[in-house]
């Protein structure tokens, strides 16, 4: 074994990697590893989806397999083409390319044919009861289920009714198709789950062709089988659906070995909600401006906020996959972003809350106008190759209001009356005076500069404790800046009252315009 193979084995640490490794060793599948990422196009992707995407795609890549993007579009009421396009773009931004892009709705014909097969085998029946009755009869843990009076219908009658359902003979809610499994099963999911319901709604892809739509459980595993998926990864809340997933596949005439489902923990972050429904509530209630509002954890918002996709990927890779739910600190994600940006970003100077600073001994040029000196400034201290740029320096500057204090608190090392500081790539300056208006608001600061400190270095090696950024007043351009803070004050939004809206940070955005 060469070094690379050795280190690959060592890096194979999470339980999903071990599982797939084992399946390959035991030749469980007669085909290459295939995974899929199955979003429902009823909203845009968020950071939680990024974790699922990284697992699905990275595992497939690691084991020389492929990963599909499959839209789980079985609910015509909430799904939309705009979300499909948005999700495709977000996935591309994150840096992944699916083997194929497919849709649960591609399989509606096959699913329908398989449903007829189950009906013929006595494994599915049309139930005329209301959904309320059906859920009432499902029972609960330790509470027996009640068999529907329609459970014993003959196959022929079921088939006739099912075709009538398909042909639009019944109004919504009139009946459903259910699998006939076991109304006393310990796993509630196997108590005769619904496979089809009637919806007289237009589907964004199939239009009005269908008025019956498969449930998630009936569509999902079958879609996996059609695509030859080997490992169907999903989050822990689907654990109870696993037996049903396998039950359906076990009843169908499949030529390949059936895929199987494995669950991993959802990604949760402090001060963040990662549920499409809650995100939609924030948008619908006008708390944020839309799916790309920089305060949201959607991928389009992170992109807008300037997060590098590679930081999101590294974060997801490093938190790995586990079998128990946990919440990661948002600061961890932010640290990945900071490390990356620190190494690749070109620096620029901007003043958010300006105060005017005049250098009283700054010279004039040969025409009698204040001299403008073009100072060389390093673009990125972390990367020499980013080079330098020239920035105009003059006798009238703006600095940050916060960088000056008349009465400094202890350990305040920036500018104060009498103090000397460095202006970045400029000169050392000493504050001699300042002006306040009648309400005590700072108007202007007066300094002198030391001409022997060009570039911010003193020939006598004397030290200053602060380096301030600045812009030349004459050359500065104005702009608006929005400062975003956390959207939720609580670490676990909604923990105290059950409503995330109670934990909103009402000062989560500040817009400055100068
Ligand atoms: P939400 O709860 O936000 O509505 P969902 O599960 O309904 O999410 P889907 O579009 O169905 O959203 O999700 C597609 C895939 O992404 C699923 O396999 C799901 O398990 C996974 N996923 C969704 N949220 C998370 C999360 N927070 N962490 C990890 N994976 C997630
Ligand atoms: Mg879902």
């Amino acid at each position: 074994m060469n070094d690379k193979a050795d280190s690959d084995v060592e890096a194979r640490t999470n339980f999903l990697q071990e599982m797939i490794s084992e399946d390959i060793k035991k030749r469980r599948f007669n085909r290459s590893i295939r995974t899929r990422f199955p979003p429902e196009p009823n909203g845009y992707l968020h950071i939680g989806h990024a974790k699922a995407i990284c697992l699905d795609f990275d595992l497939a890549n690691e084991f020389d397999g492929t990963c599909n993007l499959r839209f789980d579009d079985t609910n015509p009421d909430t799904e939309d083409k705009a979300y499909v396009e948005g999700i495709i773009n977000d996935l591309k931004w994150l840096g992944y390319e699916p083997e194929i892009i497919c849709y649960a709705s591609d399989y509606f014909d096959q699913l329908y044919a398989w449903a007829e097969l189950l009906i013929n085998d006595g494994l599915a029946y049309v139930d005329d009861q209301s959904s309320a009755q059906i859920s009432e009869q499902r029972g609960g843990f330790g509470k027996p289920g009640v068999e529907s009076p329609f459970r014993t219908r003959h196959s022929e009658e079921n088939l006739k009714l099912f075709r009538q359902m398909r042909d639009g003979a019944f109004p919504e809610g009139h009946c459903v198709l259910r699998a006939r499994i076991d109304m006393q099963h310990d796993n509630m999911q196997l108590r005769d789950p619904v496979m089809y319901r009637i919806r007289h709604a237009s589907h964004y892809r199939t239009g009005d062709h269908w008025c019956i739509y498969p449930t998630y459980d009936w569509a999902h595993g079958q879609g996996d089988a059609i695509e030859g998926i080997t490992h169907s990864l999903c989050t822990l809340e689907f654990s109870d659906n696993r037996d049903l997933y396998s039950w359906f596949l076990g009843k169908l005439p499949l030529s390949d070995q059936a895929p199987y489902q494995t669950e991993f923990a959802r990604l949760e972050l402090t001060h963040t909600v990662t549920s499409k429904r809650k995100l939609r509530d924030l948008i619908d209630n006008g708390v944020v401006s839309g799916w790309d509002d920089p305060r949201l954890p959607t991928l389009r918002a992170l992109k807008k906020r300037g997060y590098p996709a590679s930081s999101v990927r590294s974060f997801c890779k490093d938190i790995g996959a586990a079998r128990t739910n946990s919440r990661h600190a948002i600061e961890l994600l932010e640290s990945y972003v900071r490390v990356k940006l620190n190494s690749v970003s070109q620096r620029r100077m901007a003043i958010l809350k300006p105060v005017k600073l005049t250098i009283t001994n700054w010279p004039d040029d040969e025409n009698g106008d204040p001299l403008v000196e073009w100072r060389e400034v390093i673009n990125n201290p972390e990367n020499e190759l980013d080079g330098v740029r020239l920035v105009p320096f003059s006798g009238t500057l703006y600095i940050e209001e916060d960088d000056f204090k008349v009465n400094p608190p202890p350990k305040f090392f920036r500018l104060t009356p009498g103090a000397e500081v460095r202006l970045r790539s400029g000169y050392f300056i000493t504050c001699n005076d300042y002006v306040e208006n009648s309400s005590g608001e700072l108007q202007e600061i007066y300094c002198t500069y030391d001409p022997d400190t060009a570039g911010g270095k003193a020939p006598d090696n004397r030290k200053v404790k602060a380096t301030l950024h600045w812009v030349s007043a004459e050359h500065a351009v104005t702009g608006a800046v929005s400062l975003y803070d956390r959207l939720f004050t609580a670490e676990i939004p909604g923990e105290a009252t059950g409503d995330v809206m109670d934990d909103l940070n009402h000062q989560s955005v500040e817009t400055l315009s100068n």
Side-chain angles (χ1 to χ4, degrees):
M1 215 183 243
N2 63 29
D3 283 356
K4 184 180 178 300
D6 256 347
S7 65
D8 277 356
V9 170
E10 255 176 37
R12 229 169 256 167
T13 49
N14 76 45
F15 76 100
L16 296 171
Q17 291 167 310
E18 279 164 20
M19 174 186 79
I20 297 177
S21 242
E22 197 63 17
D23 285 346
I24 291 173
K25 212 157 73 194
K26 293 195 172 140
R27 300 178 194 278
R28 179 168 183 164
F29 295 100
N30 58 2
R31 56 190 187 277
S32 59
I33 298 303
R34 272 178 235 167
T35 59
R36 83 290 167 268
F37 172 64
E40 184 177 358
N42 61 354
Y44 293 102
L45 301 180
H46 54 61
I47 185 76
H49 293 117
K51 172 179 174 177
I53 292 169
C54 290
L55 283 173
D56 286 322
F57 280 85
D58 290 348
L59 284 166
N61 288 338
E62 184 180 341
F63 294 99
D64 296 323
T66 53
C67 180
N68 294 346
L69 170 61
R70 174 171 354 118
F71 290 98
D72 167 28
D73 56 355
T74 52
N75 182 357
D77 299 335
T78 54
E79 295 158 5
D80 197 286
K81 195 163 178 285
Y83 295 130
V84 169
E85 283 161 9
I87 289 171
I88 290 172
N89 287 332
D90 290 347
L91 186 67
K92 200 183 228 167
W93 173 76
L94 195 57
Y96 292 103
E97 202 178 322
E99 179 72 3
I100 51 168
I101 298 177
C102 40
Y103 301 80
S105 54
D106 290 340
Y107 312 138
F108 283 174
D109 284 318
Q110 176 67 80
L111 290 169
Y112 179 84
W114 277 338
E116 287 208 349
L117 203 81
L118 292 195
I119 292 173
N120 282 325
D121 289 346
L123 295 172
Y125 61 99
V126 173
D127 193 338
D128 295 356
Q129 299 182 107
S130 67
S131 60
Q133 276 170 310
I134 291 174
S135 67
E136 171 66 32
Q137 290 173 353
R138 185 155 285 143
F141 192 68
K143 195 173 157 218
V146 176
E147 294 191 355
S148 162
F150 301 99
R151 198 172 195 267
T152 49
R153 266 178 169 152
H154 285 293
S155 295
E156 278 130 69
E157 192 190 353
N158 280 318
L159 201 56
K160 188 174 134 228
L161 288 168
F162 186 47
R163 288 178 179 169
Q164 286 179 327
M165 278 172 70
R166 175 197 61 188
D167 295 339
F170 307 122
E172 286 187 10
H174 182 267
C175 53
V176 293
L177 184 74
R178 294 175 75 179
R180 192 200 310 263
I181 308 181
D182 179 359
M183 284 308 291
Q184 308 311 331
H185 206 288
D186 284 346
N187 181 343
M188 298 306 131
Q189 301 292 332
L190 280 97
R191 293 191 178 179
D192 290 12
V194 172
M195 295 169 64
Y196 275 97
R197 60 244 191 280
I198 299 171
R199 278 277 182 287
H200 291 284
S202 233
H203 185 278
Y204 76 99
R205 282 187 87 233
T206 59
D208 297 326
H209 185 75
W210 294 94
C211 63
I212 54 170
Y213 289 92
T215 53
Y216 167 86
D217 287 307
W218 174 239
H220 201 78
Q222 288 45 257
D224 285 346
I226 292 168
E227 290 168 25
I229 300 302
T230 53
H231 297 83
S232 184
L233 311 178
C234 63
T235 34
L236 284 171
E237 70 270 24
F238 293 102
S239 299
D240 287 345
N241 302 60
R242 190 194 324 129
D243 290 344
L244 179 55
Y245 180 100
S246 300
W247 188 90
F248 278 134
L249 289 175
K251 302 298 174 205
L252 298 175
L254 301 173
S255 52
D256 268 345
Q257 294 105 321
Y260 70 98
Q261 178 188 305
T262 307
E263 308 85 28
F264 61 87
R266 284 177 78 82
L267 167 64
E268 306 277 4
L269 290 170
T270 57
H271 302 285
T272 308
V273 296
T274 44
S275 142
K276 272 186 285 190
R277 185 181 54 76
K278 288 178 189 163
L279 295 175
R280 196 175 302 106
D281 280 352
L282 293 168
I283 295 162
D284 291 347
N285 288 310
V287 174
V288 294
S289 61
W291 285 97
D292 64 351
D293 187 293
R295 290 165 291 178
L296 293 184
T298 55
L299 297 190
R300 50 196 43 220
L302 298 183
K303 176 183 174 196
K304 192 168 182 180
R305 197 168 177 162
Y307 274 39
S310 66
S311 305
V312 177
R313 285 200 307 271
S314 311
F315 168 75
C316 291
K317 218 183 185 82
D318 289 354
I319 58 169
R323 278 190 229 251
T324 41
N325 281 322
S326 67
R327 196 175 278 265
H328 292 274
I330 182 81
E331 290 84 357
L332 183 65
L333 171 62
E334 289 167 348
S335 72
Y336 278 80
V337 175
R338 206 169 294 119
V339 166
K340 178 73 183 174
L341 290 181
N342 191 40
S343 68
V344 301
S345 305
Q346 292 212 2
R347 276 46 164 189
R348 293 294 180 266
M349 293 195 282
I351 302 296
L352 301 183
K353 294 182 181 165
V355 58
K356 194 169 164 192
L357 183 150
T358 300
I359 301 178
T360 51
N361 60 339
W362 187 252
D364 285 343
D365 65 12
E366 60 268 28
N367 302 319
D369 298 322
L371 178 71
V372 175
E373 206 176 272
W374 290 84
R375 306 277 341 143
E376 195 170 87
V377 181
I378 289 171
N379 282 327
N380 178 2
E382 304 288 316
N383 183 5
E384 222 175 288
L385 296 176
D386 279 333
V388 295
R389 68 188 185 284
L390 293 174
V391 177
F393 186 98
S394 68
T396 310
L397 308 171
Y398 289 119
I399 65 163
E400 289 293 351
E401 204 179 75
D402 289 351
D403 282 343
F404 177 81
K405 289 248 183 304
V406 176
N407 299 304
K411 303 218 168 121
F412 182 89
F413 297 122
R414 288 167 279 167
L415 199 58
T416 57
E420 185 175 50
V421 297
R422 174 191 293 113
L423 293 175
R424 180 173 301 282
S425 304
Y427 291 91
F428 280 23
I429 54 165
T430 302
C431 173
N432 305 308
D433 202 1
Y434 60 92
V435 183
E436 289 176 340
N437 66 12
S438 54
S439 359
E441 289 158 356
L442 186 65
Q443 300 296 296
E444 191 171 344
I445 304 166
Y446 297 99
C447 297
T448 49
Y449 85 114
D450 177 350
D452 293 331
T453 57
K457 283 190 204 76
D460 59 0
N461 267 337
R462 75 177 185 278
K463 299 277 182 256
V464 286
K465 285 198 170 135
T467 300
L468 308 186
H469 61 279
W470 49 271
V471 296
S472 163
E474 182 197 338
H475 302 88
V477 291
T478 57
V481 173
S482 298
L483 299 177
Y484 292 100
D485 195 357
R486 311 213 183 299
L487 193 53
F488 296 100
T489 48
E491 269 198 13
I492 305 179
E495 189 187 29
T497 65
D499 185 353
V500 299
M501 298 293 181
D502 293 333
D503 291 322
L504 279 176
N505 171 9
H506 294 285
Q507 266 101 45
S508 60
V509 57
E510 182 185 7
T511 300
L512 305 165
S513 178
N514 291 301

